[in-house]
Amino acid sequence: MVPGPRTYRVRVSRSAEPAAPLGLAAGLDAAVELLGGLRLAVLTGAGISTDSGIPDYRGPDSPPRTPMTYGQFVSDAAFRRTYWARNHIGWRHVDRTRPNAGHRALAQLEERAVVVGVITQNVDRLHHLAGSRSVIDLHGTYADIVCLGCGARSSREALAMRLEALNPGFAERAAVADVEIAPDADAVIASTEGFVVADCERCGGMLKPEIVYFGENVPRERVDRAFALVDSAQGLLVAGTSLAVMSGLRFVRHAARAGSPVVVVNRGDTRGDGLADLRIHAGTSEALPSLAERLPDP
Ligand SMILES: [Zn+2]
């Protein structure tokens, strides 16, 4: 049978049923055995940033949440006002977060040339802050703003000053207790009525965070760079993601198809479990530093 465009051949050794996940100690032994001496690409998600204080809305203990779509953002002015009002509060919390031991372990592994680069689904820039240099922000970053009219880019920090001038005292009036930190720098506040949205200073166009929202595609050039990163490595380490969205899962499929070992470190099951050679059910802040300690230089 000729495989269709959506099918692919997996290694004979891979079974349809994923192998049972291992705990931290046994998992680390197996990971060192499997990945030792190899150059690794890493794919990370929200789970790696939870210990930095950014909640993972897809984690096993997370409340259900309806994500904002690109269509809502561009078509509904009231929705957009609420979005920006919340973002005006929420982005500061993300901006104040700092990398944790998991981010730092990956930066050290890159320094030692064990890790060739990180593809992250997070928009928090914590890998950059931890010192990783080869990072692909697959879903963009909260820290940059783009104009949907003319394409002009600016920093979130500069926009914060403009929003503050347009809405004096708004951030102070929104009680801290009402604010809930969200991965996309969104925040929940009681009321956003009267909030004034800032438009592009150059063309008056609509401004949007440089974040890939549901209903949007990751730019092709970025996807290609991520595939190239996976191709330049000899194994793939997946850390802190349930691989719920295809934008991340496709790189696991790509590595598996190429016959590269795939190791998944996550607190719960993932959509990529059937493609993994090894699954470790553990937190990334514990697992990654231990792994960095034990993996030999290639
Ligand atoms: Zn513009």
Side-chain angles (χ1 to χ4, degrees), residues 167-178:
N167 303 277
F170 182 87
E172 288 69 30
R173 284 197 303 276
V176 173
D178 292 341

Side-chain angles (χ1 to χ4, degrees), residues 178-259:
D178 292 341
V179 174
E180 181 191 337
I181 309 161
D184 57 358
D186 198 354
V188 176
I189 50 177
S191 169
T192 62
E193 255 193 300
F195 189 83
V196 181
V197 172
D199 294 320
C200 177
E201 286 184 299
R202 196 200 281 180
C203 77
M206 198 184 290
L207 297 180
K208 179 183 157 298
E210 185 81 284
I211 293 173
V212 177
Y213 287 113
F214 285 85
E216 266 189 292
N217 291 318
V218 178
R220 190 68 232 177
E221 165 276 333
R222 204 181 292 165
V223 175
D224 290 344
R225 273 193 294 130
F227 276 125
L229 180 67
V230 174
D231 286 337
S232 73
Q234 299 161 310
L236 179 65
L237 175 61
V238 178
T241 171
S242 59
L243 296 168
V245 291
M246 184 52 67
S247 67
L249 181 62
R250 59 184 150 187
F251 302 111
V252 181
R253 289 185 168 172
H254 188 72
R257 200 158 42 209

Side-chain angles (χ1 to χ4, degrees), residues 60-272:
D61 307 319
S62 302
R65 176 174 180 260
T66 309
M68 185 192 78
T69 67
Y70 179 75
Q72 283 174 310
F73 186 84
V74 296
S75 66
D76 184 340
F79 187 92
R80 208 156 51 242
R81 186 190 66 227
T82 300
Y83 175 85
W84 276 117
R86 290 171 169 177
N87 186 280
H88 187 50
I89 310 301
W91 90 281
R92 301 151 204 264
H93 293 272
V94 178
D95 202 51
R96 272 199 294 266
T97 57
R98 290 296 168 258
N100 61 53
H103 299 104
R104 289 194 293 271
L106 293 180
Q108 286 160 14
L109 284 169
E110 184 185 336
E111 187 100 333
R112 287 166 45 200
V114 176
V115 162
V116 298
V118 176
I119 303 163
T120 186
Q121 302 171 104
N122 301 337
V123 300
D124 54 35
R125 291 192 64 80
L126 292 178
H127 287 299
H128 301 267
L129 280 179
S132 288
R133 283 172 306 229
S134 174
V135 181
I136 297 172
D137 294 310
L138 197 62
H139 293 164
T141 159
Y142 80 95
D144 295 329
I145 301 295
V146 64
C147 170
L148 297 181
C150 71
R153 277 155 211 281
S154 53
S155 74
R156 183 62 185 81
E157 204 168 0
L159 180 64
M161 287 188 272
R162 292 186 60 209
L163 286 174
E164 190 53 49
L166 290 168
N167 303 277
F170 182 87
E172 288 69 30
R173 284 197 303 276
V176 173
D178 292 341
V179 174
E180 181 191 337
I181 309 161
D184 57 358
D186 198 354
V188 176
I189 50 177
S191 169
T192 62
E193 255 193 300
F195 189 83
V196 181
V197 172
D199 294 320
C200 177
E201 286 184 299
R202 196 200 281 180
C203 77
M206 198 184 290
L207 297 180
K208 179 183 157 298
E210 185 81 284
I211 293 173
V212 177
Y213 287 113
F214 285 85
E216 266 189 292
N217 291 318
V218 178
R220 190 68 232 177
E221 165 276 333
R222 204 181 292 165
V223 175
D224 290 344
R225 273 193 294 130
F227 276 125
L229 180 67
V230 174
D231 286 337
S232 73
Q234 299 161 310
L236 179 65
L237 175 61
V238 178
T241 171
S242 59
L243 296 168
V245 291
M246 184 52 67
S247 67
L249 181 62
R250 59 184 150 187
F251 302 111
V252 181
R253 289 185 168 172
H254 188 72
R257 200 158 42 209
S260 296
V262 174
V263 172
V264 176
V265 179
N266 196 52
R267 285 196 187 277
D269 292 339
T270 83
R271 262 178 88 199

